[in-house]
């Protein structure tokens, strides 16, 4: 049965959208307009949906347009409850409707009516010229979908929250956007989805990276035996929050980044070597299964050792970089979110972005040092990998443009063009070491960075039992796999409970065409933020 994908948009409140698939056959084609209105009433909750508009204010009254290709796949359909067409909210000016008619000449200024598109904040954008629709030969109109990027969601088994899907669709409309990929761990963020890759040309979007620039994961092979008792680790991991007092953090920073970066992140040295809150952690794991023995041998992976995973980022340094970028932007740039990569602001942001990434990587190294020092295991510790999953990277993608490089924005997405990748489950679940394989362009040269949230933090807190508080806390300090969890922030303990995350095996299954599993790792102790000054 033929079908068409559409995005229904509330004409009066254009942030409200819903992606739908309209199925039809020739016999029922006359009812397609009513079918769309019915979908709008159900999906957008518009009880008085009356009229449908295409881009640039063309009213959709002919149902055959939906079945004969005149309305393209992935077009936006604006649904009106009787109000006049509000207009597209794209930041790029729309071409005049007359210019979309094959063979039409550009109209003279005397024949044009002036139309003004309103932005989401009610301000007026650049005026664009449009020919009144009643003068058009609609049969010859070639309608153009407003979505400027291809969209792919790699989740089949993994649940995707509809809000994350909507955020992904909205982001695909940004100027310069060419490809958007939702990873299997896709879930809603404050404004933009997490667990996604965004590929642009010319423009970069600091908001798509967020404030934790350079957040990522490192894996270390330690000399600790895989038979170590979790309680031994628990007993020694104290006072890892707050400034590192066993050494000079500034000197450590210089030793890793060089004298030329002696001022890098100097204002935030109190945080260097600290995890922070949220989903950040330091976790000791052992090998459960050496799946690909050849690759395991290549990377020196054995079931005799304990491994350390560190997940953290640039802390307040990244927040400072994002705020600085926002302060440099004009009002129009802030509204459009994007910055020309070759502009002075763009170059300044990219320089600070790279420094934040370097600071974050150094932060993970110092966290690993602090953790392993407590266990007398820092000597001979070997870093197997360190990857960023919140950053922007320039890359030539020939299928998009064989000459001009693109910008790959990753917001909670691990790079699949840098070798081995760690994909951790939530605490109490296995983690997976994988090697990217196959056509990585299909997944935006990226992979999931973890299990991905199933429940927002507020809902996870609501799952806290109302009975014995201490019993419920103790239940979350030991996992179903027998591992221990160190976390003295009660709210964080419940926000990060395993049930708040997706099933990691679904994530790995969805990534099947793009990865080869190298090894499966079992957690034995997960350290999350302690309250400061606790002993």
């Amino acid at each position: 049965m033929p079908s068409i994908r559409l995005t229904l948009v509330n004409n009066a409140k254009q942030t409200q959208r819903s992606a739908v698939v309209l199925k039809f056959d020739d016999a029922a084609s006359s009812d397609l307009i009513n079918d769309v209105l019915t979908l709008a009433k159900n999906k957008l909750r518009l009880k008085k949906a009356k009229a449908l508009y295409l881009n640039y204010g063309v009213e959709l009254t002919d149902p055959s347009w939906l079945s004969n290709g005149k309305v393209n796949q992935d077009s936006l359909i604006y649904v009106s409850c009787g109000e006049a067409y509000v207009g597209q909210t794209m930041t790029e000016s729309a071409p005049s409707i007359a210019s979309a008619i094959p063979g039409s000449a550009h109209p003279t200024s005397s024949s044009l009516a002036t139309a003004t598109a309103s932005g989401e904040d009610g301000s007026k954008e650049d005026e664009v010229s449009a020919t009144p629709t009643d003068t058009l030969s609609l049969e010859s109109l070639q309608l153009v979908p407003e979505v400027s990027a291809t969209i792919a969601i790699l989740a089949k088994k993994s649940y995707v929250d509809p809000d994350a899907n909507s955020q992904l669709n909205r982001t695909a409309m940004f100027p310069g956007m060419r490809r958007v990929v939702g990873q299997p761990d896709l879930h809603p963020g404050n404004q933009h989805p997490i667990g996604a890759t965004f590929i642009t040309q010319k423009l970069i979007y600091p908001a798509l990276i967020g404030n934790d620039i350079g957040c990522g994961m490192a894996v270390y092979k330690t000399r600790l035996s895989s038979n170590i008792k979790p309680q031994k680790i628990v007993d020694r991991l104290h006072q890892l929050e707050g400034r590192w007092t066993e050494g000079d953090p500034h000197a450590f920073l210089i030793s890793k980044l060089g004298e030329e970066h002696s001022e890098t992140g100097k204002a935030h040295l109190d945080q260097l070597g600290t995890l922070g809150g949220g989903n950040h952690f330091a976790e000791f794991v052992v090998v459960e299964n050496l799946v690909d023995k050849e690759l395991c041998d290549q990377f020196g992976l054995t079931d005799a050792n304990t491994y350390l995973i560190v997940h953290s980022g640039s802390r307040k340094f990244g927040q400072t970089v994002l705020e600085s970028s926002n302060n440099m932007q004009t009002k129009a740039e802030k509204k459009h979110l994007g910055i020309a990569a070759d502009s002075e602001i763009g170059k300044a942001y990219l320089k600070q972005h790279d420094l934040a990434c370097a600071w974050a990587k150094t932060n993970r190294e110092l966290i690993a040092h602090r953790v392993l020092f407590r266990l007398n295991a820092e000597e001979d510790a070997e870093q197997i990998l360190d990857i960023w999953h919140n950053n922007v990277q320039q890359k030539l993608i020939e299928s998009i443009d064989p000459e001009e490089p693109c910008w790959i924005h990753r917001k909670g997405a691990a790079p699949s063009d840098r070798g081995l990748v760690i994909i951790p489950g939530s605490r109490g679940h296995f983690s997976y070491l994988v090697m990217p394989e196959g056509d990585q362009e299909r997944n935006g040269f990226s992979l999931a960075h973890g299990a991905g949230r199933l429940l927002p933090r507020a809902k996870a807190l609501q799952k806290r039992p109302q009975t014995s508080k201490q019993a419920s806390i103790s239940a979350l300090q030991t996992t179903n796999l027998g591992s221990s969890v160190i976390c003295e922030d009660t709210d964080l303990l419940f926000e990060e409970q395993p049930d708040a995350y997706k099933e990691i095996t679904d994530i790995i299954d969805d990534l099947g065409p793009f990865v080869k599993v190298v090894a499966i790792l079992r957690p034995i102790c997960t350290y999350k933020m302690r309250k400061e000054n606790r002993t």
Side-chain angles (χ1 to χ4, degrees):
M1 178 179 289
S3 63
I4 183 171
R5 297 184 306 274
L6 303 170
T7 296
L8 304 183
V9 183
N10 183 340
N11 180 57
K13 185 181 179 182
Q14 296 191 14
T15 55
Q16 184 184 9
R17 302 173 178 222
S18 180
V20 299
V21 175
L22 181 66
K23 295 183 179 180
F24 52 83
D25 55 36
D26 294 339
S29 62
S30 60
D31 297 323
L32 291 181
I33 299 296
N34 288 332
D35 289 346
V36 175
L37 289 171
T38 299
L39 285 170
K41 291 174 182 178
N42 294 333
K43 297 291 186 179
L44 301 178
R45 298 182 180 179
L46 298 177
K47 294 182 180 179
K48 298 182 179 180
K50 294 181 179 179
L52 305 174
Y53 291 97
L54 301 162
N55 43 330
Y56 319 136
V58 178
E59 186 171 1
L60 176 58
T61 56
D62 187 343
S64 67
W65 286 14
L66 293 163
S67 57
N68 66 10
K70 197 169 281 289
V71 174
N72 290 333
Q73 292 282 352
D74 300 313
S75 287
L76 299 186
I77 304 293
Y78 297 87
V79 184
S80 166
C81 292
E83 76 279 359
Y85 171 71
V86 172
Q88 61 180 13
T89 57
M90 286 281 287
T91 53
E92 292 179 323
S93 297
S96 68
I97 294 178
S99 68
I101 303 175
S104 67
H106 291 288
T108 63
S109 58
S110 60
S111 68
L112 293 176
T114 301
T116 304
S118 298
E120 291 181 8
D121 60 358
S123 61
K124 292 184 176 181
E125 304 208 14
D126 295 338
E127 292 187 343
V128 296
S129 297
T131 305
T133 58
D134 57 7
T135 66
L136 292 175
S137 170
L138 294 182
E139 286 300 316
S140 62
L141 181 62
Q142 299 298 307
L143 301 168
V144 181
E146 294 174 29
V147 177
S148 61
T150 59
I151 305 174
I153 298 180
L154 305 182
K156 292 182 179 179
K157 287 188 174 182
S158 305
Y159 170 78
V160 175
D161 189 304
D163 287 343
N165 191 30
S166 296
Q167 288 181 342
L168 203 69
N169 287 336
R170 287 197 296 271
T171 310
M173 294 178 63
F174 287 179
M177 194 66 66
R178 294 295 172 259
R179 190 168 298 165
V180 173
V181 180
Q183 299 295 329
D185 59 336
L186 182 71
H187 58 280
N190 288 334
Q191 293 182 326
H192 309 294
I194 300 167
T197 307
F198 312 95
I199 302 178
T200 65
Q201 281 189 295
K202 300 186 188 318
L203 296 179
I204 54 176
Y205 287 86
L208 293 183
I209 303 158
N211 59 352
D212 200 5
I213 303 167
C215 185
M217 297 187 193
V219 178
Y220 292 82
K221 179 182 179 180
T222 80
R223 66 180 184 182
L224 295 173
S225 167
S226 58
N227 294 322
I228 189 172
K229 301 297 184 184
Q231 191 59 43
K232 181 179 180 180
I233 299 174
V234 172
D235 291 342
R236 298 191 181 187
L237 294 188
H238 295 281
Q239 292 183 309
L240 288 174
E241 300 305 315
R243 187 183 178 97
W244 179 44
T245 58
E246 296 156 331
D248 182 350
H250 192 203
F252 187 88
L253 192 69
I254 294 174
S255 72
K256 297 298 179 179
L257 301 183
E259 287 288 347
E260 66 273 21
H261 294 302
S262 62
E263 298 302 312
T264 302
K266 189 175 180 180
H268 305 294
L269 288 178
D270 283 351
Q271 293 190 322
L272 190 68
T274 63
L275 284 167
N279 63 348
H280 297 153
F281 63 84
E283 183 171 84
F284 283 97
V285 298
V286 295
V287 173
E288 176 76 5
N289 187 0
L290 297 168
V291 180
D292 189 309
K293 295 222 169 79
E294 183 177 340
L295 284 173
C296 286
D297 289 343
Q298 180 181 329
F299 290 101
L301 300 171
T302 74
D303 56 10
N305 299 82
T306 293
Y307 297 81
L308 173 65
I309 305 173
V310 177
H311 175 203
S312 192
S314 55
R315 310 288 272 115
K316 287 185 180 178
F317 184 18
Q319 177 68 36
T320 301
V321 173
L322 182 63
E323 290 174 352
S324 175
S325 170
N326 289 339
N327 291 337
M328 287 190 293
Q329 293 181 63
T330 65
K331 182 178 180 180
E333 285 170 333
K334 285 180 181 178
K335 181 183 174 192
H336 298 166
L337 299 174
I339 304 173
D342 60 358
S343 68
E344 291 305 312
I345 296 176
K347 292 175 182 176
Y349 170 78
L350 289 171
K351 180 178 179 179
Q352 291 300 308
H353 162 279
D354 291 348
L355 292 178
C357 285
W359 195 98
K361 185 176 186 296
T362 304
N363 185 41
R364 290 190 286 276
E365 290 187 57
L366 185 52
I367 291 169
H369 171 79
R370 295 182 74 177
V371 170
L372 294 173
F373 179 80
R374 297 296 178 84
L375 292 158
N376 192 29
E378 77 279 10
E379 186 179 347
D380 299 328
E382 176 189 354
Q383 186 184 89
I384 294 175
L385 65 89
D386 187 291
I387 53 175
W388 297 300
H389 56 230
N390 278 19
N391 72 328
V392 61
Q393 165 196 349
Q394 194 174 33
K395 188 178 184 70
L396 184 67
I397 304 175
E398 292 191 0
S399 64
I400 294 177
D401 192 320
E403 297 181 356
E404 181 180 4
C406 295
W407 293 96
I408 301 179
H409 302 67
R410 295 186 176 98
K411 187 173 180 64
S416 65
D417 54 0
R418 294 187 56 197
L420 201 63
V421 172
I422 180 71
I423 305 179
S426 63
R427 66 172 194 254
H429 288 86
F430 295 113
S431 294
Y432 288 75
L433 276 171
V434 302
M435 178 62 73
E437 68 174 4
D439 182 6
Q440 295 299 307
E441 189 169 329
R442 290 173 53 206
N443 53 308
F445 302 97
S446 306
L447 301 171
H449 78 312
R453 292 200 71 90
L454 183 64
L455 296 177
R457 294 186 181 277
K459 287 188 177 180
L461 280 174
Q462 291 172 5
K463 289 175 67 70
R464 176 164 32 193
Q466 299 302 311
T467 54
S468 172
K469 179 179 178 181
Q470 188 55 47
S472 59
I473 291 175
S474 298
L476 290 177
Q477 290 176 329
T478 302
T479 74
N480 291 336
L481 292 178
S483 63
S484 298
V485 177
I486 304 172
C487 181
E488 293 179 354
D489 183 324
T490 304
D491 283 351
L492 185 61
L493 190 64
F494 282 93
E495 288 172 359
E496 292 290 299
Q497 61 185 288
D499 287 347
Y501 282 83
K502 301 181 186 182
E503 175 55 59
I504 187 62
T505 54
D506 290 344
I507 303 293
I508 299 301
D509 286 347
D510 283 342
L511 290 175
F514 310 109
V515 300
K516 175 186 291 186
V517 175
V518 177
I520 302 174
L521 309 174
R522 173 190 288 270
I524 59 173
C525 182
T526 305
Y527 180 94
K528 298 188 71 68
M529 185 177 68
R530 272 188 184 268
K531 291 180 179 178
E532 292 190 18
N533 302 320
R534 291 292 296 265
T535 59

